[in-house]
Amino acid sequence: MESKAILNLSNLVNDDFADAVNLIYKSKGRVIITGIGKSAIIASKIVATLNSTGTPSIFMHAADAIHGDLGLILDDDVVICISKSGNTPEIKVLIPLIKRTKNKMIAITSNIDSFLGQHADYILNAFVEKEACPNNLAPTTSTTAQLVIGDALAVCLLELRGFSSTDFAKYHPGGALGKKLYLRVQDISNVNQKPKVSASTSLKNVIIEITEKMLGVTAVVENDKIIGIITDGDLRRMLTKVDDFSSLTAKDIMGANPKRINANAMAIDALDMMEAFGISQLLVEENGNYAGVVHLHDLIKEGII
């Protein structure tokens, strides 16, 4: 029932929606979003979404507004009022007070003929035929519709502002999301040890290097340049093919032209490369020189996956 109601919202989008988006986009002030009951909770979520995508917003509870919080509204602010019926007592008291301040008001309501609909400058129609609640009482479908309209506003404004993933990272520095947007390969590889051997290193010392550095891999390096790679898998495959490996060196078993990534690349790009090539380690380069190793386990530990 909710999904059908959301699908129908696209049929209700009209010029008021576009005009409301442009109003907010061109405004020099903030967006003040208000509501009562469950609509107030939806208002808080929309505020959070707008703030995180470059549109400064503030939540104002409709009941608190008429007891002093109207002072939140500044001259250039745009007010969005959310109410399914558009006729609740608090809304009826609040609307004339907002109109008196001459701030532009956008309504998100399921009843465009309501008191709110009649007094709003722009109406975003959130009509739903019925609540998903069996008694058609608990706000379910209606609040979902309000939420979707809020997301649509945020995405349109995000597009207008040219809001990029770099901008997004500024507002989301914490958690896994933030790490995907700002964590670079060097932030991980610099913490790891840097296993390396020369082309002439004996097989015994290759095994020791891989074991001690605990990354399951070692780079084969010459004059600080990567010339090859040896992994645990290379060692196992070698043991199935060679009976006497006492004279073998790193050059004999290394893989040439290994996959590598720049130290300044994003960590999420390292993950994409590993997935694309079905590998669990990448050698890291900085200014063309060997700079370390980034391992799949590092990305898991950082919450990138």
Side-chain angles (χ1 to χ4, degrees):
M1 190 178 294
E2 290 193 10
S3 66
K4 289 179 180 178
I6 292 170
L7 187 62
N8 185 56
L9 289 179
S10 62
N11 299 319
L12 305 179
V13 175
N14 55 21
D15 288 345
D16 268 21
F17 184 91
D19 292 340
V21 169
N22 280 317
L23 172 69
I24 297 170
Y25 177 62
K26 295 175 181 178
S27 172
K28 296 179 181 179
R30 308 156 302 171
V31 178
I32 310 296
I33 308 183
T34 188
I36 196 80
K38 303 298 187 298
S39 294
I41 297 172
I42 298 301
S44 292
K45 190 274 177 186
I46 297 174
V47 164
T49 301
L50 289 173
N51 278 328
S52 69
T53 51
T55 301
S57 305
I58 295 177
F59 170 67
M60 179 182 70
H61 196 282
D64 293 334
I66 59 179
H67 292 285
D69 279 5
L70 271 175
L72 286 171
I73 304 176
L74 303 179
D75 290 344
D76 293 324
D77 291 342
V78 175
V79 179
I80 297 178
C81 188
I82 305 176
S83 172
K84 178 191 176 184
S85 71
N87 288 315
T88 58
E90 294 86 356
I91 295 298
K92 285 187 172 182
V93 172
L94 178 60
I95 289 172
L97 299 175
I98 294 174
K99 297 296 289 184
R100 192 172 63 189
T101 65
K102 299 184 179 180
N103 293 83
K104 292 294 184 180
M105 183 168 61
I106 301 166
I108 299 178
T109 181
S110 296
N111 183 5
I112 61 175
D113 296 320
S114 64
F115 186 82
L116 172 59
Q118 290 173 358
H119 290 84
D121 297 291
Y122 305 96
I123 304 173
L124 307 187
N125 193 345
F127 172 77
V128 296
E129 187 173 344
K130 189 178 180 182
E131 299 288 4
C133 163
N135 300 314
N136 194 27
L137 294 173
T140 45
T141 312
S142 60
T143 46
T144 302
Q146 294 166 0
L147 188 67
V148 170
I149 289 176
D151 286 343
L153 282 173
V155 171
C156 288
L157 289 163
L158 180 153
E159 292 279 356
L160 281 174
R161 299 185 195 285
F163 198 80
S164 68
S165 59
T166 302
D167 297 316
F168 205 76
K170 295 177 184 177
Y171 300 103
H172 298 79
L177 178 59
K179 288 183 178 180
K180 286 182 180 180
L181 294 168
Y182 75 79
L183 192 68
R184 298 188 181 275
V185 169
Q186 63 188 359
D187 298 326
I188 298 173
S189 63
N190 286 345
V191 178
N192 289 336
Q193 299 189 72
K194 296 177 174 58
K196 65 178 181 177
V197 296
S198 68
S200 60
T201 300
S202 68
L203 184 58
K204 176 182 178 180
N205 287 329
V206 168
I207 294 173
I208 291 173
E209 181 72 0
I210 292 176
T211 303
E212 289 182 346
K213 300 301 170 60
M214 298 184 295
L215 290 169
V217 67
T218 183
V220 183
V221 178
E222 187 175 281
N223 297 323
D224 288 332
K225 306 294 182 183
I226 298 170
I227 62 171
I229 187 173
I230 301 173
T231 67
D232 282 337
D234 293 326
L235 294 175
R236 289 192 296 273
R237 284 186 288 272
M238 178 271 301
L239 289 173
T240 65
K241 299 176 181 178
V242 179
D243 292 326
D244 182 10
F245 48 84
S246 59
S247 61
L248 294 180
T249 63
K251 185 178 181 180
D252 298 320
I253 62 171
M254 74 179 189
N257 300 315
K259 299 294 182 293
R260 61 195 79 184
I261 191 167
N262 190 278
N264 200 44
M266 304 306 295
I268 189 66
D269 293 333
L271 174 61
D272 290 341
M273 282 188 66
M274 290 180 191
E275 290 180 339
F277 294 106
I279 56 180
S280 57
Q281 306 107 334
L282 282 172
L283 300 185
V284 181
E285 285 184 320
E286 188 170 11
N287 298 322
N289 295 327
Y290 173 60
V293 176
V294 59
H295 196 287
L296 180 63
H297 292 163
D298 299 323
L299 301 175
I300 295 173
K301 184 169 64 175
E302 291 291 344
I304 297 296
I305 300 178

